[in-house]
Every structure is written in structure tokens, then in C-alpha cells.
Amino acid sequence: MHSATLSAERATPSAGDFYRTNRGGGLFSEGLSQRAGAVFAAAAYRFGVPPTALTAGNLVVGLATSAAVVALASTTAPTWIAGVVALLGWQLAYALDCADGQLARVAHRTSPAGARVDVLCDIAVQISLVTALSAVAVDQRPSTASWLVALFAGTWMVNLVTSVMQAGPNAGSMVTSTSLPVRLVKLVRDYGAVVFLAGLVLLVVPQWTIWLVVGFTVVNGCFLVASIAFTGRSALRS
């Protein structure tokens, strides 16, 4: 009996086993978010929790965090409270998002339906995040132009579209180098780093949220233009 128990324990994947199946996501995400996700995945595996439950956790935590930030932005509560909620909540949601894929791959529970619900939940969470950041920006600066908020929301969706395209058979990258300087530059499109920065701004200098909105509108807009040019050139050559 004791020997069988030891054998079962050795057969249980560790957090490191889950982490080795991660799909990257950038320097910050690999260093923090994917590692946290591996811990959640290992715990879920041990207790028999299915990957879709972790996906649902990402949805619930992400939406609740964004709703809390929006609600707090319109009250007289100290602004740092919304910052703490955003900083912790969005990181937790993303760690759960990292965990569901790791768990599915290690437990051999991947499926087209699971992949679709994962993408749909990601869309819902990111829509809520954009809504929360826009609400704080407008609350801090009521003169914020409506077109800027709309442009921010539209260009943000570039992140989701390109991430889905990267998972397909025709995936490609404009910059394939994995050198440290390149990876540092790519932090501007690392979702883990982006939501960390967003939470930090809300916590420390919420009045700068408008510049966060402007900055990511420019970054995502430029990335879209560059992606169209890069992909279009490749299509012409084929």
C-alpha cells in the first residue's frame, strides 16, 4: 500500500511540469503569470478540477475586478483602493487564463470547444478591462474625447485578433529574434506586463490613466499598421 502511494505521488505532475507546457506570452508573462498559472494548474489537477473551471474562474475574477474598478471610479472612495483591486484582480484572472491551457495539455483534456470558450472568455474579460480603464480616464479627466475612448477600445482588440492568429497553422511573427533587448521592447504587447502597468497606474497616479489610454492606442494602432504591411508584403511574394 505504501509503495502504491509513493508511485501515485511520483505520477502526479508538479507545477514545473505544467509550466513546461506554457505557450509563452512575453518576458513578464513567462516569468510571473505562467509560473503562477502552473501553481493553479497543479492544484486543479490534484483536486480533479477541469480546465474549463479555470477558464470560468478567469471570467468571473476578470469581470468582477473590472466592475469593481468602474464602481469605485464613480464614488468618493480613495483612488488607491481601485488600484489595489486592479493590480491584484487582473493578475489573478490572467494567471487562471494561463493555467487552463497548461492543465488541458498535461491532463490531455484539450478540445476545440474548450479552446473556443477560452477565447470567448478572454474577449469578455478584455472588453471589461478596456471599459474600466476608459471609465477611470473619463472620471479623472471629464474632457476626454469620446472618439479617443472608441479608438482605444477598437485598437485594443488587435491584441486578441493577433493572439488568435498566432495559434493557427498560418502563424507568423514580424520579429522572430528572442534576444533580451527585443523581448524587453515586446513588453509593450505582453498582456501580463500591460495589466500590471495598468493596475500600477491606477494605484499610484490614476490621473495618468488618460496617458495610458493614449499610449496603448498608439502602440496597438502602429502594430496593426505594421502587421498589415508585413503580412501584405508576404502575401505579394507568395
Side-chain angles (χ1 to χ4, degrees):
M1 177 69 71
H2 181 64
S3 175
T5 301
L6 288 178
S7 177
E9 289 179 350
R10 282 195 293 267
T12 301
S14 66
D17 295 323
F18 287 95
Y19 178 71
R20 281 189 284 274
T21 70
N22 82 81
R23 296 292 177 84
L27 194 61
F28 184 98
S29 291
E30 284 189 358
L32 180 64
S33 307
Q34 294 284 4
R35 292 185 185 279
V39 174
F40 286 124
Y45 185 94
R46 183 175 293 274
F47 291 103
V49 177
T52 303
L54 296 180
T55 304
N58 165 39
L59 179 65
V60 171
V61 174
L63 293 183
T65 298
S66 299
V69 170
V70 171
L72 289 167
S74 60
T75 68
T76 56
T79 55
W80 64 265
I81 297 178
V84 170
V85 170
L87 195 62
L88 298 179
W90 285 332
Q91 285 298 322
L92 174 58
Y94 185 45
L96 291 169
D97 184 35
C98 295
D100 62 5
Q102 294 179 20
L103 177 61
R105 287 186 287 276
V106 171
H108 304 292
R109 299 186 67 173
T110 58
S111 69
R116 284 195 297 271
V117 75
D118 183 35
V119 172
L120 292 171
C121 287
D122 287 346
I123 292 172
V125 170
Q126 292 200 36
I127 288 173
S128 75
L129 185 146
V130 168
T131 301
L133 291 177
S134 300
V136 174
V138 172
D139 181 75
Q140 291 291 320
R141 180 176 289 197
S143 61
T144 299
S146 57
W147 63 262
L148 175 59
V149 174
L151 190 60
F152 169 60
T155 54
W156 186 278
M157 290 301 103
V158 174
N159 296 311
L160 279 168
V161 172
T162 53
S163 65
V164 171
M165 291 172 65
Q166 284 293 329
N170 298 317
S173 176
M174 290 186 294
V175 182
T176 57
S177 172
T178 57
S179 66
L180 182 58
V182 170
R183 300 195 76 193
L184 288 173
V185 171
K186 284 186 173 183
L187 282 173
V188 296
R189 291 186 45 75
D190 181 338
Y191 184 74
V194 167
V195 294
F196 176 79
L197 176 61
L200 198 61
V201 168
L202 295 184
L203 174 63
V204 181
V205 280
Q207 64 272 22
W208 287 9
T209 306
I210 181 61
W211 298 114
L212 189 74
V213 167
V214 170
F216 282 110
T217 299
V218 171
V219 167
N220 292 326
C222 289
F223 181 78
L224 175 60
V225 172
S227 296
I228 292 172
F230 175 80
T231 309
R233 185 177 63 178
S234 299
L236 290 172
R237 288 177 174 175
S238 61

